[in-house]
Structures are given as structure tokens and as C-alpha cells.
Amino acid sequence: MTVAVVGGGISGLVVAWRLRSRGRDAVLLETTPRLGGAVGTRAQQGFLLETGPNSFLDREPATRELASALNLEHRIRAADGAAKRRYVYTRGKLRSVPASPPAFLKSDILPFGAKLRVMGELFSGRAAAGVDESLADFGRRHLGPTATRVLLDAVQTGIFAGDVEKLSVGATFPQLVKLEREHRSLLLGAIHAQKAQAKAQKALPAGSTAPKLSGALSTFEGGLGTLIDALGTALGDAAHTGATVEGLTRGDAGWRLAVSERGQRSELKASHVVLAAPAYVTRGLLEPLDAELASRVGGIDYAPIAVVHLGFDAGTTPAPDGFGFLVPPMEKRRLLGAIHASTVFPFRVEAGRVLYTCMVGGATRPDLVALDEAALVALAREELRALAGVTATPTLTEVFRWKRGIPQYNVGHLERMDGVDRALTRLPGLHLAGNAYKGVGLNDCIRNGLSLADALVDAGA
């Protein structure tokens, strides 16, 4: 009763690991030479460079559970306290993002009139029932046009690198929709949520065995690649790299997969198949099985991203303050933002060195990702000079390019996923996993992957 997991990114790794940890026979098939997908860490010239995501928020019990099971809990590293300070480039300069309502009123993050409009959110109304609203429309209704363009657009840029006019608020920030539905005003809802959380915390029984969550921005000692390596080691020979699934058919006794592995062709029989590859790859496997399902999955857009690392020797440029900065698309700059990687996680550089991780492209400037490596490095340096005053010459430059990087949960995504779920009932034993569907973050992928594996085991897979 083998379960075949197709795709060796974080989602596929978690599904396969969980199945095997619960005594099920699972095999993982990854077409590239390495596991992890966009998640990975490379050591270069005294710097630890992330190939994609840089960190996670330590607030997801599933992630802590996974770390504990892999004996990695003691290797979780919280960000430096300076990471709590964040900046947005607006109206010609970097401006600090206020951390509290009183600080917001005193800050210069928005013009005075726009701040008053935000305070007027207390009187906001609810959206019409059943409407899949864009993030921009939701923001303008609650916060006003300026705060939407400056703050809300910056926040989504740091997660989705998307187009605020196209992203679905219900799919990207469902907690905001929930607050509106239950409390009308986001401010009132946030106050209520804080009180409820404090009450729930007090109600926890003494000696509770629930995972200890710090809520802090975190990574692993050695970078996020540490998690990938641990999962790969745990899977051992069950994880196959250089293994491409070329076809998928369903028979009376389950599924048959046509596999090409290092020049050898074979057929694998499985009771269940989990497609954890990117949506555009999954579409090709689904097309001969169910054209409607393939079309729904293949219709998910991706935003291209180039990650440009610039490393500086000690003493050549001042250590930057805070987590980093984001640049709202309204500013018409060529940089989406930059992470002050050496400030956030000082262990990622040798003493005194400085590392900036710059993001280029996204849904609003996809053309920039097509630039060659030298041009992307030059772009990042020019933008850092203009936005943050960094004039030193980097001693390390490294570019990781993702032509289809971040799935876009645009308006209609929730309806699309309802259709996908219905269509899957026509193909018993076939399941989808990955960041294209119900959460793009590392925590989302881990939580959803564990949940899917547990459901398969509980159903007798």
C-alpha cells in the first residue's frame, strides 16, 4: 500500500516524512538533483545565504512539533531584537513602521490626514456577503486609499510580491475577513482577539505539553536548509532525486506512475498519490486524467522573484538597523525590498560582516527577473544606494532566480479551490499539496502537509 509523493519541496517532504513516521510505506519522487525546492541554504565566503524564504514566525504548533520530532527544537534561533524595527520607503525616505497605536499617531509613516482616516476605521462597514473582494478594495474601505497604497501594499509585497488590485483578501489574509465578519471593525476585532488570547493563555492547564511557541521571527541554526537536510536524512532511501514522473494512470487496484530515474524507466504502483509539485507541473500530470481539474490548477499564476545577496566585509559599511525595508509599488522603484540578514540573524555572517538580501521582480515588475545576473546585481546596488545610502562595494554577490516563484491567490482563488476539491472526488486516491493552494508560507506548508498525511493514515491509506 505505497503512497507516492511527487515533488520534493517542503510540502512533499513533510507529507512523506509523516507517513513513514506513522508506519506507512511512502516514496518521494523529486525531478531535480536536490530536495527542498525554493527552501535551501548555501555557505559562501563567510556568509549563509538563503535561496528563497529567509525565516518563519514561531507561532505554528505544527512547525514546532516537526522540529521536535526531528530533534531540531534546540536549533531554532530567534531573530535579534532589532528585527522588531521595520521600515517602509515612502515619500522619498525610509520611515519606521510604528509598533503600537500611540506610536502610529506620532509617526510620519503617513500624512496627517491619512492617519485620521485610519482611525476612522472604527466606523467601517462590512462587505456584501459572498463577495470575493480584492485586497485593495478591502483596504480602501477600512483604511483609506493612502494607507492601502503605503502600508497594506507593502505588507503583501513582503509575502506575495503580488498586485494588490488582483489579490483576494479572503485567500491571502483570511484573518482580516474573519475580523470584519465578526466585529465589523478591524480595530475592534483586534482588541477583542487580544483579550481572547490572553484569556485562553491563562486557561491552559498546568504542565501543558503544547509546543512552546515564542511568536518570534525565527530560523534554524545553519539556516532553513537545516530543516530540509533533516527531513531528507529521515527519509533516507525513500527520497529519490533525479526522478521524474512522466505519466499517471488509474487502475482498479490504485495508481500507476511512469517514472524516469537517472536514465532508467520504470513503473511504480501506489494506493494513493500526493502531487506536491508546483501547480504548473501538476497541470501536465492531471491533463490526461481530468481536463477541468487540470485547467483549474494550471490557472494559478506565479510571480517571478530574483533574490540578490550582497555581502560586505567588516568595516566597509555600517550595520543596518532593523529587519529591513519594503517598497510599495506606488513608489515606482525597481526593488521590492531588502532584508538586513546580518542584523536579523547575526550568526549568518562572520564577525562584523554585513549581508543584504534584496528582492526584485514580483507581479508588478516581472520583466526585471529576466535580467542577467550582472544586471540584477547592479540594479540591487543602485537601489540600495538610492534608498538606504549604501555606497560600499560588496565582496560577495549571489543571485537566485525563480521565474515562477510565489503563487498568486488572486480574486477567484477561493472559488477555484472549491472547484479543485470537488473535482478531486472524481479521482479517489489522488491528493494535492503545496503552496499553490491553501497557504504560501513555510508554516502553512508544514501544517497542511502534516494534516494531509494524518488524514491518509486515519483513512487507512
Side-chain angles (χ1 to χ4, degrees):
M1 298 292 286
T2 297
V3 178
V5 180
V6 182
I10 183 63
S11 295
L13 285 168
V14 168
V15 172
W17 171 83
R18 181 67 141 204
L19 287 169
R20 291 183 67 82
S21 70
R22 294 194 60 183
R24 297 306 188 269
D25 183 16
V27 61
L28 183 142
L29 306 168
E30 165 56 39
T31 190
T32 70
R34 60 171 290 273
L35 300 172
V39 183
T41 310
R42 295 186 188 175
Q44 302 275 13
Q45 302 175 36
F47 298 89
L48 280 179
L49 311 177
E50 298 290 357
T51 60
N54 265 262
S55 56
F56 61 93
L57 279 176
D58 184 24
R59 64 182 182 188
E60 173 54 58
T63 301
R64 271 282 174 166
E65 178 190 350
L66 177 64
S68 178
L70 293 169
N71 197 28
L72 293 180
E73 197 167 12
H74 68 287
R75 299 188 67 181
I76 293 176
R77 295 288 181 266
D80 188 89
K84 294 178 181 179
R85 296 188 292 276
R86 299 173 181 237
Y87 297 87
V88 169
Y89 182 85
T90 180
R91 307 196 315 280
K93 63 181 289 189
L94 292 177
R95 300 176 191 270
S96 178
V97 177
S100 67
F104 172 75
L105 291 175
K106 296 177 182 177
S107 77
D108 64 352
I109 191 74
L110 296 176
F112 181 72
K115 287 192 287 186
L116 288 180
R117 172 61 184 84
V118 171
M119 299 311 294
E121 198 280 331
L122 289 167
F123 306 101
S124 295
R126 293 182 176 88
V131 174
D132 187 7
E133 197 173 20
S134 75
L135 187 57
D137 285 341
F138 182 91
R140 284 188 286 262
R141 188 160 48 78
H142 279 277
L143 307 172
T146 304
T148 296
R149 290 195 305 268
V150 174
L151 296 178
L152 193 56
D153 206 353
V155 169
Q156 74 78 15
T157 294
I159 302 171
F160 294 93
D163 183 338
V164 72
E165 299 290 346
K166 295 181 179 179
L167 291 173
S168 159
V169 63
T172 56
F173 295 95
Q175 65 275 26
L176 294 183
V177 175
K178 184 173 185 289
L179 285 176
E180 179 192 73
R181 184 172 61 248
E182 295 178 355
H183 306 283
R184 182 183 53 77
S185 161
L186 302 183
L187 293 176
L188 292 176
I191 293 170
H192 179 86
Q194 286 180 340
K195 291 180 179 179
Q197 185 177 19
K199 184 177 180 181
Q201 193 68 30
K202 290 180 180 179
L204 285 175
S208 172
T209 58
K212 297 178 181 178
L213 306 175
S214 68
L217 190 73
S218 301
T219 187
F220 292 93
E221 180 184 316
L224 293 180
T226 297
L227 177 61
I228 302 301
D229 293 342
L231 285 165
T233 298
L235 286 172
D237 293 342
H240 297 247
T241 57
T244 300
V245 176
E246 298 180 337
L248 186 64
T249 57
R250 177 164 174 76
D252 295 336
W255 293 89
R256 297 192 302 275
L257 297 85
V259 182
S260 175
E261 184 172 358
R262 306 186 189 283
Q264 301 294 319
R265 294 178 180 273
S266 63
E267 182 179 89
L268 173 67
K269 295 181 180 180
S271 58
H272 289 259
V273 175
V274 176
L275 298 180
Y280 50 88
V281 175
T282 296
R283 176 179 189 166
L285 293 172
L286 291 174
E287 189 70 46
L289 300 170
D290 190 312
E292 179 200 347
L293 175 58
S295 177
R296 288 183 182 275
V297 169
I300 297 171
D301 291 332
Y302 281 73
I305 290 289
V307 180
V308 184
H309 294 286
L310 302 179
F312 301 85
D313 279 346
T316 60
T317 191
D321 177 64
F323 173 82
F325 62 87
L326 291 166
V327 186
M330 66 173 285
E331 296 295 334
K332 307 298 182 184
R333 304 299 310 192
R334 295 177 297 163
L335 204 64
L336 296 174
I339 298 171
H340 302 157
S342 53
T343 300
V344 179
F345 298 115
F347 74 86
R348 286 182 52 192
V349 301
E350 292 181 352
R353 296 187 179 191
V354 171
L355 177 63
Y356 283 89
T357 299
C358 304
M359 282 75 67
V360 177
T364 57
R365 289 302 307 269
D367 55 303
L368 296 178
V369 179
L371 296 173
D372 63 34
E373 185 168 326
L376 283 167
V377 169
L379 181 158
R381 291 187 62 192
E382 291 165 7
E383 289 291 280
L384 273 187
R385 183 182 301 113
L387 305 184
V390 179
T391 59
T393 300
T395 54
L396 171 136
T397 62
E398 188 78 37
V399 176
F400 299 105
R401 193 194 316 263
W402 304 99
K403 293 182 179 179
R404 285 184 278 197
I406 305 176
Q408 299 296 287
Y409 295 0
N410 290 332
V411 170
H413 185 80
L414 295 176
E415 181 182 359
R416 179 188 303 275
M417 290 313 304
D418 285 343
V420 166
D421 290 340
R422 289 194 301 271
L424 284 171
T425 63
R426 302 193 292 264
L427 299 168
L430 186 66
H431 316 272
L432 301 184
N435 67 350
Y437 310 115
K438 297 178 181 180
V440 301
L442 189 76
N443 283 336
D444 299 314
C445 292
I446 292 172
R447 180 182 61 253
N448 294 336
L450 293 178
S451 178
L452 172 58
D454 287 341
L456 289 176
V457 173
D458 294 343

